[in-house]
Amino acid sequence: MNHLERALQGKNSIGRYILMAVLVFFIAQMAALPLFLILLPAILSNGGNIGDFSAAMQNPSDYGISSNLFLLVMMGTFVIMFFLFAVLVKPLHGRTVRETINGCKKIRWDRIRMGIIVWGIIILADTAISLLVSSPTEYEFRFNAAAFIPLLLIVLIVLPFQTSIEELLFRGYLAQGVARWTKSRWWALIIPSVLFALMHIANPEVKEYGFWLSMPQYLIMGLMLGLISILDDGIELALGIHFINNGLTALLVTHKASAFQTDALFLVHDIDPVASLISISVASVLLIFILQRIYKWDFGIMNRKVLPELPPIPPIEAETVSNQ
């Protein structure tokens, strides 16, 4: 095991984690300034005021702002966060981005591809079933090549920064820190998952459908990604899963309360949050089952403490021990 154990080496005091959080989260918010500069003139030109900022954030097209431009500028914050983290993790903690991914110096790209493929198939199947069983008026097909092609480029080029930094911070960096402090894989799963869910508390879905129906979906997603990362001793699968999840969400289906207001292929007019909660729960269990069959994970690892592995006994010492 290498991923969580890597944080047993290097500089990992809580103060360094707080400093990283301040630098990454607060300095990166400066990247939101272009978003403000785009939204404010549009709001004022439509007879609004600064109080309409949250409404413009949720429905930029109502204020004459291209959804692709809005998404691109919004993703800028995550790009800044990604590069800030990549620059700071070595001097602050003595480990690299790759070591934050799996504790080693080599990324398992095949795991990233597997996460994309398996979760992508599950999402596509779930979307197809929803289309088949829904009423004709529930889904509105609205393909627009002029808007969809730029959206596809944003998803392929810029969106990976958003999903990757979230995985690096929660399933990588924070999970390693919690494992170092608690020596427990369970706490390394639970604490980052809860914080991951709380990070989404300001999302429009939570406001629209309520805390107790929306937040469990983020918590389940966090627990699924965290469990997979611990069992697989690295976050590569989670990197692939998170990217294809957000990518297909942006490209396939959107709705009025979606965090991604995009020119997706389908606009859903009526969302059942209970059905969505059941769907994400079943899909997560199915994903873990499939990946466990592929990689032969041992769930008993969860009860193993996070401790440094003792070096092997040198041959001479081993012979001395055996002769005593």
Side-chain angles (χ1 to χ4, degrees), residues 10-312:
K11 301 164 282 189
N12 291 283
S13 65
I14 293 179
R16 291 177 180 271
Y17 273 78
I18 294 173
L19 179 59
M20 175 69 87
V22 170
L23 292 173
V24 170
F25 284 102
F26 289 97
I27 294 180
Q29 294 310 308
M30 293 170 58
L33 181 60
L35 188 63
F36 179 81
L37 295 176
I38 290 172
L39 286 177
L40 185 58
I43 293 170
L44 296 177
S45 64
N46 281 273
N49 53 54
I50 195 67
D52 297 321
F53 194 80
S54 61
M57 285 282 291
Q58 186 169 339
N59 296 293
S61 59
D62 291 348
Y63 293 83
I65 300 171
S66 161
S67 61
N68 284 332
L69 175 62
F70 179 80
L71 180 64
L72 181 62
V73 176
M74 187 173 64
M75 290 293 107
T77 301
F78 297 98
V79 175
I80 298 297
M81 289 175 66
F82 180 90
F83 284 107
L84 273 174
F85 177 82
V87 169
L88 293 172
V89 69
K90 184 70 172 180
L92 278 178
H93 297 281
R95 62 182 182 267
T96 64
V97 171
R98 290 177 182 175
E99 290 170 321
T100 307
I101 290 174
N102 60 21
C104 301
K105 299 184 182 298
K106 184 178 180 181
I107 298 173
R108 299 171 296 179
W109 293 100
D110 60 312
R111 295 297 216 268
I112 296 177
R113 289 191 294 270
M114 183 62 73
I116 290 173
I117 292 169
V118 177
W119 190 242
I121 291 172
I122 291 174
I123 289 180
L124 290 172
D126 179 70
T127 303
I129 292 170
S130 297
L131 287 169
L132 290 173
V133 302
S134 64
S135 64
T137 58
E138 189 173 343
Y139 281 80
E140 176 188 340
F141 182 70
R142 50 172 201 170
F143 175 69
N144 178 354
F148 187 80
I149 292 174
L151 172 61
L152 179 61
L153 293 175
I154 293 171
V155 166
L156 293 177
I157 298 171
V158 186
L159 186 67
F161 288 100
Q162 182 249 328
T163 56
S164 295
I165 189 57
E166 288 189 10
E167 290 309 309
L168 279 168
L169 289 175
F170 289 97
R171 259 62 67 177
Y173 177 71
L174 183 57
Q176 286 177 330
V178 173
R180 174 187 172 90
W181 305 324
T182 66
K183 304 297 186 292
S184 168
R185 299 182 197 278
W186 284 107
W187 284 120
L189 167 64
I190 294 169
I191 293 176
S193 298
V194 171
L195 293 176
F196 174 76
L198 291 175
M199 183 189 71
H200 295 86
I201 197 169
N203 278 20
E205 297 100 329
V206 180
K207 180 180 179 180
E208 181 73 17
Y209 304 114
F211 181 93
W212 296 109
L213 284 177
S214 299
M215 292 305 291
Q217 298 184 43
Y218 293 113
L219 180 59
I220 290 169
M221 191 75 179
L223 289 170
M224 178 264 283
L225 293 169
L227 179 61
I228 286 171
S229 298
I230 294 173
L231 293 174
D232 200 51
D233 200 27
I235 70 170
E236 291 97 338
L237 284 167
L239 285 168
I241 292 165
H242 201 154
F243 165 69
I244 197 64
N245 181 81
N246 288 19
L248 289 180
T249 298
L251 292 170
L252 289 181
V253 179
T254 189
H255 56 90
K256 64 178 181 178
S258 174
F260 285 139
Q261 292 295 315
T262 65
D263 291 295
L265 292 177
F266 292 94
L267 173 66
V268 186
H269 295 289
D270 185 24
I271 292 289
D272 183 352
V274 175
S276 297
L277 179 58
I278 294 172
S279 176
I280 190 67
S281 302
V282 173
S284 297
V285 172
L286 177 61
L287 176 70
I288 293 170
F289 174 78
I290 292 172
L291 293 177
Q292 192 280 329
R293 300 289 291 180
I294 294 173
Y295 296 112
K296 311 301 181 185
W297 292 329
D298 176 12
F299 286 93
I301 287 173
M302 293 300 300
N303 297 318
R304 187 187 303 174
K305 285 187 175 295
V306 180
L307 298 171
E309 294 187 6
L310 296 175

